[in-house]
Amino acid sequence: MNLTKLLKPDHASVVRAAHDEATCAGALRYAPRADGPIRQSVVLFFWVVLGVLAAPFVLFKRLLTGRGL
Amino acid sequence: MTNESQNVFEVLVIGSGPAGVSSAKALVERGFRVTLLDIGFDDPKAREAIPDLPFSKLRAEDPNQTSYFVGQEAEGVPKGDVKVGAHLTPPRRFVHHRSEELLPSRVRGATLMQSTALGGLGAAWGAGACTYLPEELTAMGLPIDEMNSAYRAVSSWIGVSAPESGAMRWHCGSALSQAQPALEPDDLARSIMSRYDRNKDHFSKLGFDIGLPSMAVLTRDLDSRCANPYYDMDFYGDSRKSVFRPRYVLDNLKKNKNFTYLSSRVCLSYLERDGVIEVRVRNLGTGTEEVLYCGQLILAAGAINSARTVFESMSLDKKAGFSIQTRLLCNPYHYLVGLQLDSFGRELSDRRHSLAQLFGIYRSAGQRTHESAFLAFYSYRSLLHFKLSKEFPFPVAIGQKIAALLSGGLSIVGVHHSDSFETAIDYRWTKNALAPGIIELSYDKHAETQRRRDQKVNEEIHFIQKTLRRLGVFPLSRVAPGPGASIHYAGSLPIGSWTDVDGRVLKSKRVYVVDSSTWTYLPAKGLTLSIMANAWRIAQKLPRSP
């Protein structure tokens, strides 16, 4: 069992997202340049903290998929 | 002996890829009357639909961007794991259109791509233009002086940009004489280079060097082609013809009275008798078989299909149950996705190109020069975020937000490893009572061979990952698309066994193979410029028909 593969989004929703993104409005919605450098750093910090908290779960998943620590 | 109305030609070239157009150009310049035949699928409408504007401007303003970024039928959203051809955007999908139907093969344990396009695989070439070093050419069975001379000739008309000096000039461009200035690196590449320059001697001692790439991309205008506009659209269109494509040569050749182009045809086999070669082709337009006659035949259909044609021709007088075994060299390939933290909190310049920003070479202690691993650094900021978000184990909306955050700082490092016959893909051509002429390509190595190969590759990847961290790129994942995925093929008709050093098929008098089929080794560096130089070299020596 590979949890990462199981949790990946289905093809239909990726296609919808791709069409949504490839529009002028989508460009604004998803462009990293729309975010200022400070906000980028704050959001990155958030994800780093979340990553640290999530680490034990990731290790558990590796054990579950037989990949070892 | 040309009489085109009777299907009689002086020289017939099969394939319009880098090898085909190089040999055709050289022969036309020598005064031969040349006919080039290929399948020749193209998609000029998709190409022309892309406005000549920067990526960011198109994203913000073009109401038709879906057609080329995603495709009208979402063909730019691949299903499942992408094994081969991940870089083919919707406007480049024609490169392998109907290839499974027209160039069939049974593949096991590997993923391969064949081209049916005008320009062959060169229509989607990433434009890395490396020359091989003498030790590499020796391992490949090619003559050093003739190849160096051919590199200079070919690079002068395709237009190669390269660094003036440094390690990468030595490794990848030492045989170039008139290179244009190198492409400007983007901000991420500059950051990697500055970290490398600070400890250059240390990295070099470990066998690791990086530098600006040598590319078949113009940085100055050349003939009717223009310098790269740094629009970050190089994976979608051929803006200003800055990146070399074989069809440009074909367009020029069509203006020459000594040149004829026949498209929509697949070469099936040839038969040499009484100084004339009968070539059997299938006309895709009429669905019928035709017989063409020529004085000399040049096979430039790529390592899989040139061998197919030779084997099919050898079997014409054989009964069912005939089988031929050979091998297909193909660089083992991985790519490492890394995050460059330097990019956070920085405004990144919009002025950039989409191709390889940097090249790198890694040679571990005890390895010989031709066994080095080769690295190409990409930034891929013109990648739409759905391509990344589909890989994350999150709902798409969350995945796209993460992708938007990370994509500005992503570096993708493609790592190619050298390949020898010991670890090559097995290639078997079989004719039996049920189905004549089947190609079977399989990768199923002896456990010990597999272990040795994996060990070498893993050691190289491990060192490269460690070194990337020192260069500020933190590897997030390592992707191994499997054997065949590099799309660099060679060695199916090796010199000594099937061909001589000048490409002549040993069991023939006037049939020549000018692509990478004849090579006896495949170094890790990109092969396309060498394919062109080798084809040019052989065409320069082609004897006149009696």
Side-chain angles (χ1 to χ4, degrees), chain B residues 19 57 77 102 137 139 164 206 221 229 254 328 364 382 400 446 450 452 472 479 492 528:
Chain B
K57 198 168 173 60
V77 189
L102 298 171
L137 292 169
E164 276 180 25
L206 295 172
D221 295 354
K254 283 178 191 169
L328 186 71
S364 63
S382 59
Q400 275 187 305
H446 186 272
Q450 181 82 50
R452 276 205 306 274
V479 182
S492 51
T528 308

Side-chain angles (χ1 to χ4, degrees), chain B residues 76 142 164 173 178 180 435 452 484 498 518 531:
Chain B
L142 301 177
E164 276 180 25
Q178 302 172 341
Q180 297 194 355
R452 276 205 306 274
W498 287 95
T518 65
I531 289 176

Side-chain angles (χ1 to χ4, degrees), chain B residues 401-417:
Chain B
K401 284 195 165 56
I402 299 173
L405 179 72
L406 298 182
S407 64
L410 278 186
S411 276
I412 296 169
V413 184
V415 185
H416 286 90
H417 310 269

Side-chain angles (χ1 to χ4, degrees), chain A residues 8 11 19 21-22 27 30 32, chain B residues 59 66 77 385-386 391 400 404:
Chain A
K8 276 185 185 177
H11 184 69
H19 279 295
E21 190 183 357
Y30 300 112
Chain B
R59 292 286 286 119
T66 308
V77 189
H385 299 137
F386 72 85
E391 303 301 325
Q400 275 187 305

